[in-house]
Amino acid sequence: MTELELRDLRKTYRSRGRPAVDAVRGIDLALHSGELLGLLGPSGCGKSTTLRMIAGLETVTGGDILVGGASVVDRPAQRRNIGVAFENYALYPPLTVAENLAFGLKARRGRDRKDVDRRVAEIADRVDLTGILDARPAGLSSGQKQRVSLARALVREPDVLLLDEPLSHLDAAQRDTTRRELKRIQRDLGHTTILVTHDQEEALSLADRIAVMKDGVIQQLGTPYEIYDSP
Ligand code: ADP
Ligand code: ADP
């Protein structure tokens, strides 16, 4: 079943006194339920813009975005049930790690306290945050912040998960562990995921399919085997 579909998705940035930037120039893509797509391409090719439009953090210039068959372009971000872990999508500084994770859950109706605590503990355990649940973001390393962002994206059990370079600040050992955990989470929970990365190993080990973007369009789409084995 198709879970996420992009139809001729476009974005032109216009600001006064500057030439318009056609950041995304017509993307068509269909991800089936539980699929993980690796999104690759050079800096400036439109990867982040694409993710931000899907998340509802950026308006759409043209085209459509469907989640579970329904168009979401007119829904605000908080009504899309899309989990995001972006570099510049900050954690709330006054809240502890546990509170940051609980925040998104409490915003949803029908969650009682015990249920929220259980869910936070479960995800903290999976992403190895148990020792820092009472810390505040300012006191964390960039690798720890990145794991908190990842946990926050996962905690709401989103329909769609969008990850922008989620492992870039981790050291080699942590990256290995977190990558393996991400793979397990993906297999267990079956999120439909787009993962932006420039790490070929990450793409190879995690992605079901890979899309290569260039100048605002998808230039290549296939299995990791097809992409990396093609001349
Ligand atoms: P990537 O994530 O692949 O590096 P981006 O989506 O960030 O690419 O950027 C695509 C293009 O859009 C680039 O030319 C970038 O400079 C431009 N761009 C991104 N965000 C904005 C913005 N808020 N205003 C104007 N131009 C932008
Ligand atoms: P990334 O490559 O991860 O998208 P960028 O450095 O391109 O990161 O963008 C960081 C922030 O700056 C984003 O919020 C983006 O919208 C904004 N931005 C990027 N390019 C431009 C631009 N040409 N004009 C205005 N804002 C921009």
Side-chain angles (χ1 to χ4, degrees), residues 177-189:
T177 317
T178 311
R179 196 202 297 124
R180 245 179 284 136
E181 194 51 49
L182 200 54
K183 198 179 174 100
R184 200 171 307 136
I185 289 168
Q186 181 70 16
R187 201 182 47 215
D188 293 354
L189 305 179

Side-chain angles (χ1 to χ4, degrees), residues 72-131:
V72 298
V73 286
D74 295 325
R75 283 188 213 165
Q78 63 273 20
R79 289 195 45 232
R80 294 192 187 190
N81 199 24
I82 290 174
V84 302
F86 296 166
E87 170 112 56
N88 50 9
Y89 202 64
L91 303 166
Y92 298 106
L95 303 184
T96 66
V97 168
E99 287 162 350
N100 263 284
L101 297 184
F103 189 80
L105 284 177
K106 285 184 185 147
R108 299 186 77 185
R109 57 211 138 67
R111 286 269 191 185
D112 69 35
R113 171 86 198 249
K114 247 199 268 166
D115 189 32
V116 169
D117 289 348
R118 186 188 47 74
R119 178 73 189 138
V120 167
E122 183 183 290
I123 207 72
D125 182 47
R126 279 197 171 254
V127 192
D128 194 19
L129 298 174
T130 311

Side-chain angles (χ1 to χ4, degrees), residues 13 21 23 42-49 52:
Y13 289 108
V21 178
S43 180
C45 71
K47 304 181 297 293
S48 302
T49 299
R52 288 202 303 266

